[in-house]
Amino acid sequence: MSKVLVKLEKAAILQKDKPVLTNVNLEINSGDFCYLIGSTGSGKSSLLKTLYGELPLIKGKGNIVGYNLKKLKTKEIPFLRRKLGIVFQDFKLLTDKNVFENLDFVLRATDWKDKMKRKFRIEEVLAEMDLSNKIYKYPFELSGGEQQRVSIARALLNKPELILADEPTGNLDPETSNDIMKVFKRLNENGQTVLMATHDYALIYQYPSTTYKCEAGKLYEVQFEIN
């Protein structure tokens, strides 16, 4: 039975202390794959930042993976983020560390004390991303698509309940974007819940799923006609 992972009710999403979205109602259940679309500045990233605790929820109700966003304390944010996998457009890899060290840094920061367990988990997620042969490469030695797959592997390390992806194909060419999209769809088919902000409508047409649009201060569900 699916469980509710995200629920916003009459929420206001702020950007620099000004509402960018108002009266937001959103529900995402385990196993869902949802897109978030809208023009630049429409509130997509601000909505995601509210969900992972970077922006406060001042007005309305909000719950995500068991945390009340309205009552979220600063000290709770790291624990919330352990239950989330966050993927960014610009990868956010540590350039002075190789792939293994990038992932090991995250595990050590989230209290994985056992070195062998960390090594096994890193090898596991890299195999899932077809990157086993890149484990000791540095980010500059990888293509954009490979760097994004490393960042997805990083997001999977703590077996998150929900992946939040903010324009994960934004810096990639169409062919590589399609490859990354296949990764997300495969994860979803294996039970992973995904909320993905994107401006790439071609991907939505190719891989249709529930789609929400940020426009004129509102969030609403839209239907795409699939040819």
Side-chain angles (χ1 to χ4, degrees):
M1 185 177 169
S2 65
K3 78 175 190 181
V4 179
L5 296 185
V6 176
K7 191 172 180 69
L8 297 176
E9 295 178 86
K10 298 181 179 178
I13 306 300
L14 305 181
Q15 199 176 67
K16 296 177 181 172
D17 295 329
K18 293 181 181 174
V20 64
L21 293 169
T22 56
N23 201 32
V24 173
N25 295 291
L26 175 66
E27 186 171 308
I28 297 173
N29 296 305
S30 58
D32 285 355
F33 189 108
C34 300
Y35 293 109
L36 189 60
I37 63 172
S39 58
T40 302
S42 63
K44 300 190 303 295
S45 292
S46 296
L47 176 54
L48 293 181
K49 286 178 179 177
T50 303
L51 292 178
Y52 61 77
E54 187 164 321
L55 293 174
L57 180 65
I58 306 296
K59 187 177 179 183
K61 295 180 180 177
N63 280 277
I64 180 166
V65 296
Y67 284 84
N68 184 332
L69 290 170
K70 199 84 170 282
K71 296 178 179 178
L72 190 66
K73 297 180 175 68
T74 302
K75 65 182 181 183
E76 292 177 313
I77 292 173
F79 298 97
L80 163 63
R81 291 182 185 171
R82 284 181 207 181
K83 298 176 81 171
L84 305 172
I86 307 171
V87 180
F88 299 97
Q89 177 175 338
D90 55 357
F91 318 137
K92 296 195 185 297
L93 298 175
L94 302 168
T95 56
D96 60 337
K97 296 184 185 295
N98 64 32
V99 170
F100 180 89
E101 291 165 338
N102 262 276
L103 302 189
D104 195 48
F105 179 84
V106 172
L107 289 180
R108 285 188 287 113
T110 51
D111 290 334
W112 286 59
K113 302 275 194 282
D114 188 307
K115 188 175 180 180
M116 290 310 295
K117 285 182 179 176
R118 295 201 309 267
K119 183 173 185 289
F120 178 78
R121 183 60 184 149
I122 289 167
E123 289 172 348
E124 198 173 37
V125 294
L126 289 178
E128 197 171 352
M129 292 296 113
D130 298 319
L131 289 170
S132 297
N133 60 340
K134 307 289 184 180
I135 190 167
Y136 298 116
K137 298 284 187 186
Y138 284 82
F140 72 86
E141 298 177 288
L142 304 174
S143 68
E146 288 169 339
Q147 288 186 64
Q148 191 57 292
R149 279 190 282 143
V150 172
S151 72
I152 297 169
R154 179 183 58 198
L156 293 172
L157 283 169
N158 282 303
K159 299 182 179 178
E161 291 188 43
L162 171 67
I163 288 181
L164 300 174
D166 194 357
E167 300 278 6
T169 63
N171 287 335
L172 306 173
D173 61 75
E175 186 178 350
T176 308
S177 294
N178 194 43
D179 289 342
I180 292 298
M181 196 63 213
K182 286 177 181 174
V183 170
F184 279 110
K185 293 304 284 188
R186 188 181 76 232
L187 291 172
N188 180 244
E189 285 161 8
N190 290 334
Q192 183 70 61
T193 311
V194 180
L195 174 60
M196 177 189 293
T198 185
H199 63 265
D200 192 340
Y201 284 32
L203 291 178
I204 299 174
Y205 281 112
Q206 193 166 354
Y207 303 99
S209 198
T210 304
T211 303
Y212 296 96
K213 187 171 189 178
C214 300
E215 187 176 56
K218 301 296 178 189
L219 179 77
Y220 54 92
E221 190 173 345
V222 292
Q223 302 294 327
F224 277 76
E225 293 294 328
I226 308 303
N227 298 323

